[in-house]
Amino acid sequence: MPELPEVETIRRQLAPHLEGRTLASVEILDARWTLPEPSEPVAAALRGARVEALERAGKYLIWRLDGDRHLLVHLRMTGALLWDPASEPPHTRVRFGLDDGHRILYVDPRRFGTGHLLSAGADCAAYLDARLGPEPFSPEFSATALRRAARGRRAPIKAFILDQRRIAGVGNIYADESLFRAGIHPEREAGALTPAQWAALAEAIICALALGIDAKGASIDDFRHVDGQRGSFQDLFLVFNRAGQPCPRCGTAIVKTVVAGRGTHLCPSCQPRPRRRAATRTRRVAAG
DNA sequence: GTGATAACCTGGGTGC
DNA sequence: TGCACCCAGGTTATCA
C-alpha cells in the first residue's frame, strides 16, 4: 500500500518523464476516480495541460499544471502509475498520452484511488493544510510539536500517528516499524507518552521513512514502480508482516493484533503493554 | 471535540 | 473444481 516512501519513489521516477510535457490525451475510464466531480469535464480540462512540476505532500502526488491548476492523485491502497508499459494491464482506470508519444497509465484493482483537479483560483495549499499535518522531513516536525498535539489524547498512539492531520504520510507499515524502533506499545495512550518516548518516536518515524525511500518503497501487495519493478523495503521489515518470526532484537516471537482497526505487528518484550488497558478493543489473531 | 465504526472495493486465501 | 465467505486497508462520513 503506497505510503510516503512509495509515493516519493513514484514521484522521483515519474518526474523526469512528465515535467515539461503536455497531456495530449486523457481518458478517464472509471468515473469513480474523480468523484464527486464528473469525469469527462475533468478529462477535457486536463487535455492540453502542461505539467510544470511533479510534487508530493503526504501520500498525495501533485501534478502542478499551467494556469495555476493542480491535479491531486491519491493512490490509496492499490493504485499505481505506470510509464509506458509494454501492454495495458487489467484494471487500468486512466490513460494519459504525452506530447512526446509516451503514455502513463493509472492502474487500480480496488478502485479506491482518486484524482481531484483543483482549477485556477482554488487554494491548493489550503486544501492540503485541511487534510495533512507536518511532513516528517520538514522543520515543523518535532517531538515537541507531536507531544503538544497529543496532549490529553486518550486514543492509542498508533491511531494518532496514522491520522494524516497529525503526521503526513505515515501508514500502517511505517507506523508499526516506527513504534517498534521506539519501543512503544501501539495501544499506549498518545497523551501518556513521556518526552523521551516522543523523542524516540519522532526519530524512529524519520528513520523508518528514510529507509523506505532508500529502498524505493515496500512491495508486499500491489505496489510497483513506474516501470513495474518492485521496491525492497519489505526485505528490511523488523516486525511488519513477520508474525510468529523472532524479534530481531530479543528473539521473542512477533505478535499480530488489531489496534485502531488495523492489523498491527509488535514484539511483546521490546514493546511492553501499557499498565492501564486502553479503551480500544483489541483482538488476538493467529500468528504466522 | 474526540474516538469508534461502517462504507467504499476487489483480489486472494480459506473452508466446505 | 467451484462456490461462498472473510480479510486486507486509507480516507471519509456518521454516530455516540
Side-chain angles (χ1 to χ4, degrees):
Chain A
M1 56 218 84
E3 303 180 26
L4 187 155
E6 287 75 27
V7 178
E8 177 62 21
T9 298
I10 291 171
R11 189 199 68 77
R12 292 181 182 185
Q13 295 180 341
L14 206 54
H17 301 300
L18 193 54
E19 289 178 345
R21 301 257 64 97
T22 295
L23 302 178
S25 65
V26 178
E27 298 171 87
I28 301 175
L29 311 175
D30 180 5
R32 281 191 57 84
W33 195 63
T34 61
L35 286 177
E37 301 300 321
S39 60
E40 185 44 43
V42 173
L46 288 172
R47 288 181 201 118
R50 183 174 182 275
V51 181
E52 295 183 338
L54 192 60
E55 300 166 348
R56 181 192 58 76
K59 301 174 192 174
Y60 286 93
L61 198 58
I62 303 167
W63 301 32
R64 186 152 56 81
L65 309 173
D66 59 355
D68 191 29
R69 297 173 297 168
H70 298 82
L71 176 64
L72 271 52
V73 175
H74 199 302
L75 305 175
R76 296 288 180 104
M77 291 177 59
T78 55
L81 285 161
L82 302 179
W83 185 76
D84 240 1
S87 61
E88 185 167 307
H91 315 300
T92 296
R93 309 300 179 190
V94 186
R95 298 188 193 107
F96 299 96
L98 306 182
D99 59 346
D100 60 359
H102 295 290
R103 63 176 184 161
I104 293 169
L105 301 182
Y106 175 78
V107 180
D108 190 354
R110 294 188 198 176
R111 302 171 67 198
F112 274 22
T114 56
H116 292 302
L117 177 62
L118 300 182
S119 51
D123 192 339
C124 183
Y127 182 94
L128 294 171
D129 283 347
R131 291 164 174 77
L132 300 177
E135 283 277 325
F137 298 110
S138 73
E140 291 76 28
F141 182 82
S142 70
T144 305
L146 290 174
R147 186 178 169 217
R148 193 179 301 126
R151 192 169 293 158
R153 306 281 173 182
R154 303 198 61 184
I157 182 61
K158 170 141 182 185
F160 181 84
I161 62 176
L162 282 176
D163 187 341
Q164 299 302 294
R165 294 168 299 179
R166 307 297 178 192
I167 307 171
V170 175
N172 204 37
I173 294 174
Y174 295 91
D176 281 6
E177 292 292 307
S178 301
L179 287 167
F180 172 76
R181 287 173 184 277
I184 298 169
H185 194 286
E187 284 182 61
R188 186 168 290 276
E189 286 182 9
L193 263 63
T194 65
Q197 286 177 315
W198 278 117
L201 182 57
E203 186 180 337
I205 289 170
I206 290 173
C207 178
L209 293 173
L211 286 172
I213 292 172
D214 286 347
K216 296 185 171 60
S219 295
I220 54 171
D221 286 319
D222 302 85
F223 174 68
R224 294 290 183 275
H225 296 163
V226 300
D227 57 2
Q229 299 299 305
R230 295 163 58 88
S232 62
F233 188 58
Q234 68 279 3
D235 300 331
L236 303 175
F237 285 166
L238 300 178
V239 288
F240 191 84
N241 232 12
R242 296 191 63 237
Q245 298 179 40
C247 167
R249 283 188 190 151
C250 71
T252 303
I254 303 296
V255 167
K256 183 178 182 184
T257 69
V258 177
V259 179
R262 297 286 175 258
T264 299
H265 306 77
L266 62 97
C267 170
S269 296
C270 298
Q271 297 166 269
R273 178 181 288 275
R275 283 183 192 165
R276 217 175 61 182
R277 191 173 176 81
T280 306
R281 185 176 62 89
T282 55
R283 170 168 66 90
R284 182 75 172 268
V285 298

